[in-house]
Amino acid sequence: MTKIDDDKVSRIDKFKNDIRFRKKIEYVETIPAKEASYKKVDDLDDKLLSYLDKKGIKLYNHQALSIEKVRDGNNIIITTPTASGKTLAFNLPVLEELIKDNDACALYIYPAKALSYDQLKVLKNFEKDLGIDINPNTYDGDTPKSKRYDIRQKSRIVLSNPYQLHHILSWHHQWERFYSNLKFIVIDEAHYYKGIFGSNIAFLIRRLKRIANFYGSNPQFILSSATLANPLELASKLVGEEFDLIDNDTSPSGEKDFILYNPYKSIGKNKTAEDSNPSIHRETEFIFLYLILKDIQTLCFTSSRKIAELIALWAKRDMEQYKRKYCNKITAYRAGYLAEDRRNIEDGLKNKDYLGVTCTNALELGIDIGSLDAVIISGFPGSMISTWQQGGRSGRANQKSLVILVAFENQLDQYFMKNPDFFFDKPHENVVIDLNNEKLIHNHIICAANELPITIDEIKKSFNVDEDFVDKIVRNRDLRKNPAGLYMYPYEDSPSFRYSLDQISNEIFTVMNGKKVIEKIEKSQMYREAHEGAVLINKGQTYIVNKVNLKTHYIDVSKKSVQAHTVALKRTNIKIIKKLKKIKIGEFKVHFGELEVEEDYYKYKKMEFSKTIGTYILDLPPLKFNTKGLWFTIPNSIEDILEDKYSDEKEVFAGGLHGAEHSLIGLFPLHVMSDRFDIGGLSTNYHEDTQEATIFIYDAYEGGIGICEKAIDVFKELVKSTRNLLKTCGCKNGCPSCIYSPKCGNDNKPLHKKATEYILDYIWEEMSKSNQDIITIDNDTLKNHEDVLENNIETLEKSDKLSDEVDENFKDYDETLNENDNYLDELNKDLNENDESLDEYNEALEEYNKGNYSIAKEILTDIIIKSEKQNADSYYLIGKILFKQEDKSGALSFVKKALSIDPAHELANEFYVQLKKR
């Protein structure tokens, strides 16, 4: 090691021993250096051999294995860490085939334009060094129109992104040469395709394969990804093909210190939310400044684009007091910047023009930014995959490097700080792709039909839906079926522009400072960050938003230097659209289904660091979207107990529900791979759809992302870890480490820690009452239930003539009902307690006697679905409930159904006679 290297190692090591920081270090994991393992490839093309010899490159084992498997015709997915040589592993087999076949073509798909730009330079260098004609080019929104024709006609490697492909697939006739000779499709950064976006890309790839097949090609797939738990599942779902896995990293790496840094470590017990806690973002900035002043090139990942801008802004201002010449060596980097500006920053990192860059996860991906000394991760980024991708940005030249994870005060970050073994031993998460989102399937079938008329067999193969599903689209006039049985798009426009790949609003707003365009943002981002009165930060400069025009989509801003930033708050309303699934864990029930969510951004706070200096009203129309989520109810008896227990305090029950919602959501990523902002929630003392106190947790994306559905499988573990978190938190009345949420639309009011603990204890006790397996009622069962209800509706229509007679007899029948109630109580004692249906009937009867009619009806419906034996009694009791709820026709219908099952049913006969009397 050279003297310069020794000096750098010394400067890197000083951080963990510095008196200003060492007391807040929870744990240091030293990852040892690793030696490389090499392998030769037999019969490698002479041009490639010459290139490798000239560059002094020896192939790692995993790179050689990639070439061999591609040669054998296999689809492969490479999942080795950052800087392990994945790019060479997929470029060499592609180039070998393109050298052998002068017509062969390849398509490279990247999730970001910057990655395409980076790879283009690599491929152009290959073209020059190898002396071959492949004419690589990017084809995206930045490609000049004057160059597009030549690219389509001459380029053998085209680099693009999903958004561009989504729009140009319908112009496939212009690409006939390319598709006819398409041998490879390379999908880099495949782990990026998760959730709604990943599901969209999976359907997009199926459309792309269909076009390639139409022109006679059957391309081979090469995927590159970060390390994750389910790479083969991801590849299969994304592409719809079988894959071979290459996951053994045989590249060298330098020693790395991974530090868990907790700004809240020294905060004493019994702290309250009002305590003067450290500003996490200021703490991050101090570390950032320290490393830059030590001449340690540092990349700082932040939780949002706004925070990236703030930390860069603060660092520049503070650097003026220390080394003024370093001010220009600090910048922010994020999506929204012009492509030229982003690329200048990337080049500046590589050639050391920049010593410190703050960024969002935009630089988490494999953009070539050279060797970095240190990475700061300000707040756990939501998944272990992202954490290791970001941390992998340091130590790219076998040198000693540093990663510092700075903990936020939220539940998840603090859990990791106190459980480092869990953090470093935890296997990487599963990437979730949902191929059952009907909205996405609907959109892509329409796009596919626009590209080429499509058969029902093709639809079944690519989208796994039946003809009934497609017929609904036809009835909605989004498709037309021709006499030959082909489905066609009937309009002249392109539906791809109507259907977004990431399910975010297609409404784009342009930010203008006078006549200068500052940036472009989508609608939901405008609501959060660029509403009227907001402080918008761009490239370290602050702007005040003067006006937002919702019709023209222009945002007028004025440049103004201010210390403050703004935070928008929202209220959430939820409607249950459709129940898809119900589980019973012990005696506790959790529901899953389709929800309509309405978000009302009603005010915003102006803040300086963590202090609120003003609150202002917002006047924006609510945002609405449909999603999927889970929910569960808490009985009124718990409210009564809590109100008695804390009789001198206000909003105890509401505070407990609110705290349970926050704390459960806070630990979701422990059990289901998600970012904390992928999940939304609502708690309420009474919800009109359930008629009880209810907690909702939902996927915060249009159509759902699959998170909450997976969470049902681990719900018991989620409650257990959440209970433990609250019981071990040292605060007195609640804090951000347990029940406070940084994105709470109600400004974290009301919250009650003791009531939260009581509610979680109640849920746990209910789940632990029985050792029975989880009982699930899925959508097929509910479909049968819908059929039963449809039959009942027909019966109701036939009973209209009798409803007038029923009206006159309701008052006289009250006494008879009371007598029947007594009879039902006697009947209940004689029922066989060992019969599961009878036990449930008893439960329904108990809820009926308490006046909990909705709960009783739900239990009785389950009995009707599962058991024939008690159907007559169940239909009769539902009739009584409907009678109590003044549903006259419904009462008659259900009693008649009871008599059709058991003509000798005494109570039903008596009820029916009374209803017919005048």
Side-chain angles (χ1 to χ4, degrees), residues 764-893:
W764 180 254
E765 289 167 6
E766 290 294 300
M767 290 193 300
S768 304
K769 278 184 178 179
S770 171
N771 291 323
Q772 68 189 51
D773 294 333
I774 295 175
I775 297 174
T776 302
I777 299 176
D778 59 18
N779 201 31
D780 291 337
T781 306
L782 290 170
K783 179 69 169 61
N784 293 335
H785 180 204
E786 289 174 3
D787 293 339
V788 172
L789 292 179
E790 286 180 7
N791 291 333
N792 289 337
I793 291 171
E794 292 179 9
T795 305
L796 289 175
E797 291 173 351
K798 294 176 182 178
S799 302
D800 283 344
K801 294 180 181 179
L802 295 174
S803 60
D804 292 337
E805 299 176 15
V806 176
D807 288 340
E808 298 178 6
N809 290 284
F810 272 114
K811 292 182 181 179
D812 296 335
Y813 193 56
D814 283 340
E815 293 182 6
T816 304
L817 278 177
N818 290 332
E819 293 175 6
N820 287 341
D821 286 346
N822 294 332
Y823 179 89
L824 287 169
D825 289 338
E826 291 298 321
L827 178 63
N828 180 40
K829 294 177 183 178
D830 296 331
L831 293 174
N832 184 347
E833 294 181 354
N834 293 323
D835 189 300
E836 183 183 352
S837 295
L838 295 178
D839 287 343
E840 292 183 355
Y841 185 84
N842 288 340
E843 184 183 351
L845 187 59
E846 183 179 347
E847 297 295 344
Y848 168 80
N849 289 332
K850 289 179 183 177
N852 296 329
Y853 299 135
S854 294
I855 297 175
K857 274 197 295 187
E858 184 176 330
I859 296 169
L860 292 166
T861 300
D862 287 347
I863 294 172
I864 291 170
I865 293 170
K866 294 188 291 184
S867 171
E868 294 182 2
K869 184 176 179 181
Q870 290 299 315
N871 275 356
D873 287 337
S874 298
Y875 275 108
Y876 169 69
L877 191 51
I878 290 177
K880 284 194 64 181
I881 292 169
L882 294 174
F883 180 86
K884 288 282 191 181
Q885 294 177 332
E886 299 185 0
D887 184 351
K888 306 163 190 178
S889 298
L892 181 60
S893 172

Side-chain angles (χ1 to χ4, degrees), residues 18-36:
D18 193 288
I19 192 171
R20 290 166 290 184
F21 304 111
R22 67 189 182 199
K23 290 183 179 180
K24 295 181 181 180
I25 293 176
E26 293 273 12
Y27 183 80
V28 180
E29 176 85 0
T30 299
I31 302 170
K34 178 169 65 71
E35 302 239 341

Side-chain angles (χ1 to χ4, degrees), residues 336-376:
Y337 285 3
L338 297 176
E340 182 180 353
D341 293 335
R342 291 198 306 271
R343 290 165 187 171
N344 285 337
I345 296 170
E346 294 158 19
D347 291 339
L349 272 170
K350 278 186 283 190
N351 58 33
K352 310 297 183 184
D353 286 345
Y354 287 112
L355 260 181
V357 173
T358 61
C359 63
T360 59
N361 62 0
L363 278 178
E364 174 185 315
L365 302 175
I367 300 166
D368 183 10
I369 53 175
S371 301
L372 298 174
D373 304 318
V375 164
I376 302 169

